[in-house]
Amino acid sequence: MNTSNSSNEQTGGISRRNVLAAGALTAAAVACQAGRAPAASAAAKPAIFYAPHQDDDAIGLAGSILEHKAAGRPVYLVLVSNGRNPDLAKLMNTNPCPLTTWDSPHPCAAGGRHNLSWPTDGTTKVVAARTAEFTASAKALGVDKVINFKVVDDGFDSVSAYNKLVDRIEAKVRALAAQYPGASHKFTAGWLERTETHKACSDVAYRLMNDGTISDVRFNHVYAYGRPRDRRADGAAYVLDIPSSHMKTKRNAMYAYNTWDPSRNLYALGYHSVPDLLEAAHADPREFIHTLPSDYRPGKGD
């Protein structure tokens, strides 16, 4: 997920204040949670999950990851882009925290004060901190392998830049498909979502499905949590009801994105970026799996 805008949707379940309190997840707690996962069968083909940005894994993929692990599948989690984000850098340099001043305010894990003086290129400091959160989330989920494509997140400016982004991601996914024949591939439903990088991942899947490189493909709708609760399943081929034990682990993964601990390079950037989506996913024990529509149209679009 790569946005610092917030929707106005209010979510039920755990309060924002409790989300904040629960977010101070210790490294020991993460390791303990990860240790509960069953061992994957060496003979099983891996399920490869692709997170376009740091935080997509916890918001919209975690329940599906845990379902596959419970079935004995090896699970590989890919971070597709580096997640550069100038808006987050500017937000971290701001006092008081803008989240606390919105009409519908959110708590700030830093107590409402940052003033970090980060460079505003969106790469320096931001990428490393976002990736630290991703690493903590992956540990909480107990995935078997973490793969970082480190693709520069720069497909926004033009159609040409977008097409080059798709090409770079395609080359890396194609290489993984060759390395792990028979693997299943789990992307996000980029045609329903809001950023070029999400759509680029779907375009890559479209290409590779059409040429027979990959065949077992599903798409989790991460931005479904931005919809009203009774409309989140619209268009889904399958709704995963996440069992309570898995939901506890998924929430631990989400807390990695709302932990303020500069000593571990954790600055709650995920929560500062998309607080409403994290809160909605925290309260809703479902994930929404789509298949590629028959009238799918690749390309950057509007």
Side-chain angles (χ1 to χ4, degrees), residues 154-231:
D154 63 354
F156 313 101
D157 294 338
S158 67
V159 170
S160 174
Y162 175 81
N163 290 338
K164 290 177 182 178
L165 175 65
V166 175
D167 290 343
R168 294 198 304 272
I169 297 172
E170 179 190 350
K172 291 181 177 292
V173 175
R174 191 179 291 278
L176 274 188
Q179 185 177 358
Y180 301 108
S184 62
H185 297 263
K186 320 295 183 182
F187 298 87
T188 62
W191 67 97
L192 296 171
E193 297 176 355
R194 306 177 188 179
T195 76
E196 284 81 357
T197 308
H198 285 241
K199 180 59 161 54
C201 290
S202 293
D203 281 3
V204 167
Y206 175 80
R207 290 183 184 181
L208 298 184
M209 291 169 71
N210 279 344
D211 71 13
T213 299
I214 58 179
S215 57
D216 185 358
V217 186
R218 295 292 183 272
F219 301 86
N220 285 41
H221 186 9
V222 175
Y223 276 94
Y225 301 102
R227 296 177 174 179
R229 189 178 181 116
D230 62 355
R231 291 193 50 224

Side-chain angles (χ1 to χ4, degrees), residues 233-250:
D234 289 359
Y238 172 64
V239 176
L240 173 65
D241 292 315
I242 305 172
S244 59
S245 60
H246 289 182
M247 196 64 195
K248 179 179 179 181
T249 304
K250 173 171 177 165

